[in-house]
Amino acid sequence: METPNSVDTLEDLLYLYAHHIKLTGNFFLLKDEINPITKLPASLWPLVPSRVTIVPSESGRERVAGYTYRVGRDEIPLSVDEVIHLKRPHENNP
């Protein structure tokens, strides 16, 4: 995990984690090229928290049905299995 993707190092992700958690209470990682057998991703990419929308589940069993990531005017739907969502309490987002 020293190189989570082709651009970032583990230290880069740890810095972004601390930064995003302090600012928003959320840290999102996109799992890229998930192996269908092992379910392990080939790489992990950090997502900008202000561009991520959590899609709530309509059933009471699951709280999150998926995510939407905005790039310009495009909205990219992401499943729960494609995103690692780490969260901490934050005063601006109960």
Side-chain angles (χ1 to χ4, degrees):
M1 181 70 163
E2 290 182 25
T3 55
N5 59 53
S6 61
V7 178
D8 298 313
T9 65
L10 178 60
E11 290 80 17
D12 294 332
L13 285 189
L14 292 175
Y15 177 82
L16 283 174
Y17 168 80
H19 184 70
H20 290 177
I21 286 291
K22 286 180 183 178
L23 287 176
T24 68
N26 292 294
F27 182 64
F28 300 95
L29 286 171
L30 174 65
K31 299 179 199 177
D32 195 24
E33 299 177 28
I34 300 170
N35 183 310
I37 298 169
T38 64
K39 306 296 184 203
L40 295 174
S43 57
L44 297 171
W45 294 91
L47 299 175
V48 179
S50 62
R51 295 182 178 189
V52 177
T53 301
I54 299 170
V55 179
S57 174
E58 292 181 13
S59 71
R61 295 175 48 204
E62 306 265 339
R63 295 180 73 187
V64 177
Y67 302 88
T68 302
Y69 192 66
R70 290 179 312 284
V71 179
R73 294 178 188 229
D74 296 328
E75 291 190 354
I76 303 166
L78 301 169
S79 73
V80 174
D81 295 334
E82 294 177 290
V83 176
I84 299 172
H85 181 192
L86 304 171
K87 52 190 168 275
R88 302 287 296 167
H90 195 271
E91 64 185 40
N92 294 335
N93 187 1

